[in-house]
Amino acid sequence: MYRAVSRPVLRTSLALLAAVSLAAPLALAGPAAAADPFDVTAVKLTVRAGDRDCTVDADLYRPAGVDAAHPAPAILTTNGFGGNKVDGSTAATARAFAARGYVALSYSGLGFGKSGCPISLDDPTIDGKAAGRLIDFLAGTRTADDGTRVDYVTKEGADGTKATDPRVGMIGGSYGGAIQMATAAVDDRVDALVPMITWNDLAYALDPNNADQPAGSVSNDVPGVYKKQWTNGFFLIGEAQGLLNPSLDPSRLGGAGCLHFVAKACETKRLLDSGRYPADRTKRMLDYARSVSPVSYLKDVKAPTLLVQGQADSLFNLNEAAATYRTLKAQGTETKMIWQSWGHSGGMTDPASGELNLAEGNLETSYVGQRILAWFDRYLQHRKGIDTGPAFAYYRDWMPAGQTYGTSAAFPASGDSWKLYLSGDGKLVDDRAKVARGSREYRNRLLPTSHSESQLAGLLGLPDPAPYDIRGTYLDWTSEPVEGGPVDVVGAPKATLEVVSPRTEKVQDSGDAADKLVLFAKLYDVAPDGSKTLVHRLVAPARVPDVTRPFTVELPAVVHRYQPGHRLRFVIAASDTAYYGNRGVKPVTVVSAPDDTGTVELPLAGR
């Protein structure tokens, strides 16, 4: 697909690579910065990965004083998409835990850095099984290619009687988050996981449909709306790996016209680029995307899991972590969840606020860092008296330092909600009886007319125009000012809608889901001076299954306070610059009456 890469494109890839590597896993510098109390050995291990053998490039960190007579638990860490074993975040994570007495193995994921094989999107049957061979190495049951053997990792069982079962945890973010669950699903020797800012269903992450999702899930059998900016950016990074990390290793060659991706990943990208969703190819795309996603294999994940997801994240939003949490919890896997401030879209805050800071690695002084340390103390050090914290915690940007995290013994945080009705006069009202009869229309244009974000801008630290909607291409409803104290929204708002679109009715059953209606739902906070904020620039793309029936749109979860005097504004727009939109012009009318109108419901942490 990319047979030649120009110098400007290569420079762009390098910039993206650096940004993704920084944005993905933890960077925990900590005590190791002054003097490294550990040794580092570069190792290579040839492993079987899918249909081929490939070499995994890794660094082994051995703390001072750790030997066969004085073993220690181990931690595996791998890179975010585009990173490698020595990038600023992956290596810093390994150093941080080695400085705290853990054996650490930091490795470049398949297809990245100097590791072989094409990129296979954390496929448990490929990437997961390859990671299992690294666990064999930590167990001492196999050697590195140069003969290096490990005999100093704590084994399970009384006095280490389970000789092939080392005590191992995993930590990392984004691409380095999903690999943990993929590994634990195929290798039950993994003892603790800390996946950060990662996905539940890659089909939802890259092609989301927020309309009529099954309860507690992000998956949908109706294809969604192509998230073109994120997908194209990461695909470019993947294809550029041969230029960024030159190698003659034939195992790295991909298929189906791709340089460095497995064939099915390339076929999926080609379908999304086409803007069409014929039934047979769409089913293959959904089946493949889910086969490399936790949604398909969480049933096999038994290792205690601390999920950390970012509020500022339009790539893998909070709903993905919530879906993973619900599944693990329902099957009895020990799991807890934290919604921190930062994610792929930015959101890093002053470390004085209590947030884990990538540059400083403030484990002991940040809330999230303390929770991670406690998690590994409990499940890798077997310190049973350690308190691993509440079931659910969430960052609140309106609270002072030291009080930024709200906590709850369960998820959701409460059963309270705030329900509003869509009135025909453009108001959001709190009583169905206040709904005015009326109808309003919007229509899409052939080019996008609404903007939420430039999806790579937050990752790269670039300026981004403020969100906007062009008149006539959206509808909005606005509430009265909040009274009687602030309203704290914690969770995923839901909108129940009914629309009229005769042009869509004529084509929506064509056999190509691209003919179904696309719209974008979003919530603003409108200040008393009229200024408005689209919280974290998040929108809910929806491909409506059937415009002749009511449907529900689940918006991305947020943690947000509506202060007294502020208004809530609900918007449905025809398009968004970051996504593909409607095929053809499809006018939409929304009709309201007291006995038949749409609603918006927001989950509350307290009022």
Side-chain angles (χ1 to χ4, degrees):
M1 182 169 290
Y2 293 102
R3 297 303 179 191
V5 181
S6 67
R7 289 183 179 178
V9 170
L10 177 56
R11 285 196 296 269
T12 300
S13 289
L14 287 166
L16 287 170
L17 171 61
V20 172
S21 298
L22 288 172
L26 285 170
L28 307 174
D36 292 343
F38 49 77
D39 295 325
V40 184
T41 303
V43 294
K44 294 185 182 297
L45 298 98
T46 299
V47 302
R48 187 70 179 173
D51 62 353
R52 64 190 79 186
D53 292 329
C54 60
T55 300
V56 173
D57 186 32
D59 283 337
L60 177 64
Y61 294 73
R62 178 177 178 174
V66 171
D67 55 27
H70 306 89
I75 289 179
L76 270 174
T77 181
T78 190
N79 50 278
F81 198 94
N84 55 63
K85 69 170 187 177
V86 296
D87 68 28
S89 51
T90 310
T93 305
R95 289 197 303 268
F97 283 99
R100 290 166 175 84
Y102 290 92
V103 176
L105 186 64
S106 172
Y107 72 100
S108 300
L110 300 183
F112 296 103
K114 295 181 180 179
S115 288
C117 287
I119 299 165
S120 43
L121 303 181
D122 284 341
D123 188 328
T125 66
I126 301 175
D127 304 82
K129 287 190 174 181
R133 304 294 71 77
L134 303 185
I135 296 174
D136 292 342
F137 174 62
L138 293 172
T141 58
R142 67 163 295 167
T143 64
D145 292 356
D146 65 358
T148 300
R149 184 180 296 276
V150 174
D151 62 358
Y152 44 80
V153 172
T154 305
K155 304 297 195 301
E156 293 293 357
D159 300 322
T161 52
K162 295 183 179 179
T164 62
D165 189 355
R167 199 175 296 168
V168 176
M170 298 184 74
I171 185 170
S174 192
Y175 199 77
I179 184 57
Q180 300 174 51
M181 293 179 279
T183 304
V186 297
D187 196 320
D188 61 8
R189 294 175 295 175
V190 182
D191 299 291
L193 309 177
V194 183
M196 305 182 70
I197 59 172
T198 196
W199 69 88
N200 171 269
D201 182 349
L202 203 56
Y204 172 79
L206 303 183
D207 193 57
N209 187 5
N210 291 68
D212 286 350
Q213 294 172 325
S217 173
V218 295
S219 300
N220 202 314
D221 289 335
V222 176
V225 187
Y226 182 31
K227 198 181 287 183
K228 59 183 180 181
Q229 291 180 359
W230 276 124
T231 306
N232 286 327
F234 281 98
F235 192 77
L236 174 61
I237 294 167
E239 287 293 73
Q241 287 302 301
L243 296 173
L244 300 173
N245 302 285
S247 172
L248 297 177
D249 182 355
S251 76
R252 298 181 65 164
L253 296 177
C258 280
L259 293 175
H260 297 294
F261 286 88
V262 295
K264 288 185 178 179
C266 217
E267 292 164 1
T268 294
K269 174 70 164 50
R270 192 173 295 116
L271 174 64
L272 293 173
D273 286 339
S274 75
R276 300 181 63 248
Y277 294 99
D280 54 344
R281 292 180 63 199
T282 299
K283 184 179 186 306
R284 289 199 298 272
M285 181 269 286
L286 293 173
D287 288 348
Y288 170 68
R290 286 172 187 154
S291 74
V292 296
S293 299
V295 66
S296 72
Y297 55 73
L298 281 175
K299 63 183 182 300
D300 298 316
V301 176
K302 307 303 180 186
T305 302
L306 177 63
L307 297 164
V308 183
Q309 203 79 348
Q311 295 178 33
D313 202 325
S314 62
L315 177 60
F316 306 137
N317 64 35
L318 296 174
N319 296 18
E320 300 228 40
T324 298
Y325 176 87
R326 289 186 177 103
T327 299
L328 292 176
K329 198 74 174 175
Q331 69 190 28
T333 299
E334 179 63 27
T335 185
K336 295 182 178 181
M337 181 167 62
I338 302 172
W339 288 355
Q340 63 180 16
S341 67
W342 56 266
H344 289 85
S345 303
M348 177 56 70
T349 62
D350 186 332
S353 66
E355 281 293 75
L356 181 68
N357 183 276
L358 288 170
E360 296 186 5
N362 52 340
L363 271 173
E364 279 82 2
T365 59
S366 66
Y367 178 82
V368 175
Q370 291 169 1
R371 293 286 303 273
I372 292 169
L373 288 175
W375 199 255
F376 285 142
D377 278 351
R378 171 66 183 84
Y379 296 107
L380 296 185
Q381 301 287 0
H382 284 191
R383 296 174 182 167
K384 297 184 178 181
I386 291 289
D387 181 6
T388 59
F392 176 45
Y394 48 95
Y395 180 83
R396 301 171 295 181
D397 61 8
W398 62 87
M399 296 297 289
Q403 303 175 45
T404 50
Y405 273 88
T407 62
S408 173
F411 175 78
S414 82
D416 295 338
S417 65
W418 181 20
K419 190 171 187 177
L420 297 166
Y421 300 86
L422 277 57
S423 181
D425 55 6
K427 295 180 180 178
L428 273 179
V429 296
D430 59 5
D431 188 331
R432 185 181 291 275
K434 298 178 182 179
V435 172
R437 293 182 182 275
S439 65
R440 296 187 297 156
E441 181 189 273
Y442 74 86
R443 62 180 60 208
N444 65 295
R445 299 178 187 172
L446 295 181
L447 295 175
T449 52
S450 290
H451 175 74
S452 58
E453 66 166 350
S454 300
Q455 290 178 330
L456 295 172
L459 196 65
L460 297 173
L462 300 176
D464 193 2
Y468 64 79
D469 300 285
I470 293 178
R471 186 179 297 276
T473 65
Y474 73 96
L475 294 176
D476 64 339
W477 293 263
T478 306
S479 73
E480 292 296 318
V482 170
E483 297 178 344
V487 175
D488 294 347
V489 180
V490 178
K494 291 184 179 181
T496 300
L497 302 170
E498 189 169 359
V499 301
V500 179
S501 182
R503 289 190 188 177
T504 305
E505 284 186 50
K506 292 178 181 179
V507 297
Q508 67 177 5
D509 296 325
S510 67
D512 184 346
D515 288 321
K516 297 181 183 294
L517 178 68
V518 168
L519 57 82
F520 298 83
K522 46 195 172 182
L523 284 168
Y524 286 90
D525 181 327
V526 182
D529 64 2
S531 61
K532 61 181 182 179
T533 300
L534 179 60
V535 181
H536 294 309
R537 295 178 175 254
L538 295 171
V539 300
R543 190 175 296 277
V544 181
D546 183 352
V547 295
T548 67
R549 301 170 61 87
F551 58 95
T552 297
V553 178
E554 182 167 332
L555 280 70
V558 295
V559 179
H560 182 69
R561 169 167 282 187
Y562 283 90
Q563 298 283 7
H566 287 231
R567 301 169 186 259
L568 183 149
R569 180 171 294 166
F570 174 67
V571 172
I572 55 173
S575 61
D576 191 279
T577 56
Y579 298 82
Y580 274 15
N582 285 287
R583 185 159 72 176
V585 176
K586 297 181 172 74
V588 173
T589 301
V590 177
V591 179
S592 295
D595 60 344
D596 185 13
T597 192
T599 62
V600 176
E601 190 166 3
L602 296 91
L604 304 181
R607 183 164 183 170

